[in-house]
């Protein structure tokens, strides 16, 4: 007669085998989901970076004129020359390619910056949806949460890429002299020269207004897009072309609103970046000292030098960013 416990032992062994078989597909599914999630984040980062590069290259001539107007480093006797006058000065001193001066540095900065901005904004928005308990497929995110997600994305990007932004500011914010000689010839030259002549910490001149400005700028930009998406819900039956046009229009509006709101802070940021550089004599003890000196010397209007060009630039720049990002996302979503 077999022992009484033999059947029970067999059942236990069978149960353990069954549990192991059940755990294996579960573990495999979890690993596959994690891999898919990582691939999706990478895809969004690449799409965001490429979208930023496309937009910046298209609008760089306007950005060059805007930055020269902001910094005042244009060699003109007039404190506030017109955009057309600055355009002529660039062509006369640096040729047509001068309109794209600093674009290489900008692209090196923009790809990682926009990759971080767009990918982290999507991540922060998902977190905000979970936090608010809303359904991402059917309910819009509250505007204050859209603002917060965009702001956090902007701060993340600024912290990662600031030295590249400073190099780009110094290349773009100065006009070549009458001898056609440029103060800075490239991003590597600018970074090395700045660190050598002014110390490593000089690579972070102006970082305070940059971080302070990134939160409201990206927050207002993405927040405005979020508000518009809530005010004008998308039609479930809309085709891809309609969705892209929608993103382009909303993105353009978001860029204009954000650019206008944060422009004075951006002017201070550019002035701080140029202090200590070749040909610049102004010295500021701090962010607030810079604000005080600019206001006491030139008045409130000095903070808005180049704002008209910036408005013209921001609409297509942001519209192209959002539109390109949406197109690239749609083109690559089937790759996963």
């Amino acid at each position: 007669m077999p022992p009484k416990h033999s059947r029970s032992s067999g059942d236990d062994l069978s149960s353990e085998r069954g549990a192991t078989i059940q755990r294996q597909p579960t573990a495999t599914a979890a690993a596959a989901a994690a891999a898919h999630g990582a691939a999706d984040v990478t895809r969004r980062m690449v799409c965001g970076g490429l979208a930023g590069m496309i937009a910046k290259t298209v609008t760089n001539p306007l950005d060059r004129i805007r930055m020269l107007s902001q910094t005042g480093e244009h060699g003109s006797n007039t404190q506030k020359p017109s955009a057309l006058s600055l355009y002529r000065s660039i062509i006369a001193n640096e040729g047509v390619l001068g309109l794209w001066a600093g674009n290489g540095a900008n692209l090196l900065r923009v790809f990682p910056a926009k990759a971080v901005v767009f990918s982290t904004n999507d991540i922060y928005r998902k977190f905000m949806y979970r936090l608010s308990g809303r359904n991402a497929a059917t309910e819009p995110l509250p505007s204050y949460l859209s603002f917060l997600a965009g702001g956090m994305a902007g701060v993340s990007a600024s912290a990662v890429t600031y030295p590249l932004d400073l190099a780009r500011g110094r290349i773009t914010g100065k006009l070549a002299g009458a001898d056609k000689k440029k103060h800075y010839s490239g991003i590597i030259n600018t970074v090395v020269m700045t660190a050598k002549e002014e110390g490593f910490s000089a690579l972070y001149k102006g970082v305070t207004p940059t971080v302070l400005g990134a939160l409201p700028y990206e927050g207002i930009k993405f927040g405005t897009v979020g508000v518009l998406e809530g005010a004008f819900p998308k039609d479930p039956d809309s085709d891809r072309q309609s969705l892209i046009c929608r993103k382009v229009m909303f993105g353009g509006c978001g860029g204009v609103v954000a650019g206008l709101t944060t422009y004075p802070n951006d002017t201070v940021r550019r002035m701080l970046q140029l202090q200590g550089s070749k040909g610049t004599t102004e010295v500021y003890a701090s962010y607030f000292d810079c604000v005080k000196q600019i206001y006491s010397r030139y008045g409130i209007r000095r903070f808005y030098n180049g704002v008209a060009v910036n408005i013209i630039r921001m609409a297509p720049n942001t519209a192209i960013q959002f539109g390109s990002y949406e197109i690239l996302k749609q083109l690559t979503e089937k790759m996963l």
Side-chain angles (χ1 to χ4, degrees), residues 113-114 117-118 121 146-155 157-158 213-224 254 258 262 318 321-322:
K114 292 306 176 184
V117 163
F118 278 97
N121 180 67
S146 291
F147 172 90
L148 186 58
M152 290 168 64
V155 171
S158 296
L215 180 62
Y217 178 80
E218 297 295 347
I220 292 169
K221 183 173 74 176
F222 283 102
T224 301
T262 62
T318 315
Q321 278 185 39
F322 276 88

Side-chain angles (χ1 to χ4, degrees), residues 59-74 86 90 94 98-107 109 164-176 182-187 190 270 273-274 313:
T59 60
N60 198 82
L62 291 173
D63 202 33
R64 180 82 203 278
I65 292 170
R66 187 262 305 183
M67 288 185 67
L68 285 173
S69 186
Q70 272 186 310
T71 62
E73 301 276 350
H74 41 64
L86 287 173
I90 294 169
E94 301 179 12
L99 294 169
W100 276 271
N103 190 52
N106 204 18
L107 295 185
R109 177 190 69 88
L164 295 175
D165 184 49
L166 178 129
R168 176 244 179 172
R170 291 195 167 190
I171 294 170
T172 310
K174 284 179 172 290
L175 188 66
K182 296 181 180 179
H183 295 283
Y184 298 97
S185 58
I187 186 168
T190 304
R270 295 303 178 191
Q273 285 182 339
L274 288 184
R313 179 188 72 91

Side-chain angles (χ1 to χ4, degrees), residues 4-256:
K4 290 183 179 180
H5 65 274
S6 62
R7 182 167 181 170
S8 176
S9 299
D11 288 345
D12 290 343
L13 185 58
S14 177
S15 297
E16 288 176 5
R17 286 176 178 171
T20 302
I21 292 171
Q22 287 178 349
R23 280 196 300 268
Q24 285 177 347
T26 302
T28 304
H36 184 275
D40 187 54
V41 170
T42 302
R43 178 179 70 90
R44 290 173 184 271
M45 290 184 73
V46 172
C47 290
L50 290 174
M53 292 175 74
I54 293 168
K56 291 298 182 183
T57 301
V58 171
T59 60
N60 198 82
L62 291 173
D63 202 33
R64 180 82 203 278
I65 292 170
R66 187 262 305 183
M67 288 185 67
L68 285 173
S69 186
Q70 272 186 310
T71 62
E73 301 276 350
H74 41 64
S76 174
N77 295 326
T78 306
Q79 178 60 38
K80 193 176 179 182
S82 66
L84 182 59
S85 173
L86 287 173
Y87 170 79
R88 288 171 176 167
S89 295
I90 294 169
I91 297 296
N93 287 275
E94 301 179 12
V96 175
L97 291 180
L99 294 169
W100 276 271
N103 190 52
N106 204 18
L107 295 185
L108 284 176
R109 177 190 69 88
V110 163
F111 187 88
K114 292 306 176 184
V116 173
V117 163
F118 278 97
S119 59
T120 56
N121 180 67
D122 287 345
I123 292 169
Y124 291 139
R125 282 181 68 85
K126 287 180 181 178
F127 174 75
M128 296 302 174
Y129 266 111
R130 288 198 299 270
L131 191 67
S132 63
R134 296 199 174 201
N135 187 335
T138 58
E139 297 177 281
L141 193 65
S143 56
Y144 71 94
L145 290 180
S146 291
F147 172 90
L148 186 58
M152 290 168 64
V155 171
S156 300
S158 296
V160 170
T161 62
Y162 187 74
L164 295 175
D165 184 49
L166 178 129
R168 176 244 179 172
R170 291 195 167 190
I171 294 170
T172 310
K174 284 179 172 290
L175 188 66
D179 57 357
K180 314 294 185 185
K181 187 177 180 180
K182 296 181 180 179
H183 295 283
Y184 298 97
S185 58
I187 186 168
I188 295 175
N189 169 266
T190 304
V191 170
V192 171
M193 190 180 297
T194 299
K196 183 178 179 181
E197 295 180 355
E198 303 170 49
F200 182 79
S201 61
L203 295 174
Y204 289 88
K205 284 182 178 179
V207 70
T208 299
T210 298
V211 173
L212 290 176
L215 180 62
Y217 178 80
E218 297 295 347
I220 292 169
K221 183 173 74 176
F222 283 102
T224 301
V225 172
V227 169
L228 292 172
E229 287 179 337
F232 303 97
K234 62 183 178 182
D235 186 347
D237 299 324
S238 297
D239 58 16
R240 290 190 173 189
Q241 294 296 328
S242 299
L243 292 176
I244 292 170
C245 290
R246 188 167 176 271
K247 278 288 186 182
V248 167
M249 288 189 291
F250 290 174
C253 291
V256 170

Side-chain angles (χ1 to χ4, degrees), residues 269-287:
R269 178 169 78 102
R270 295 303 178 191
M271 300 294 282
L272 286 171
Q273 285 182 339
L274 288 184
Q275 70 165 333
S277 62
K278 292 187 173 183
T280 300
T281 56
E282 287 83 359
V283 177
Y284 309 105
S286 64
Y287 174 85

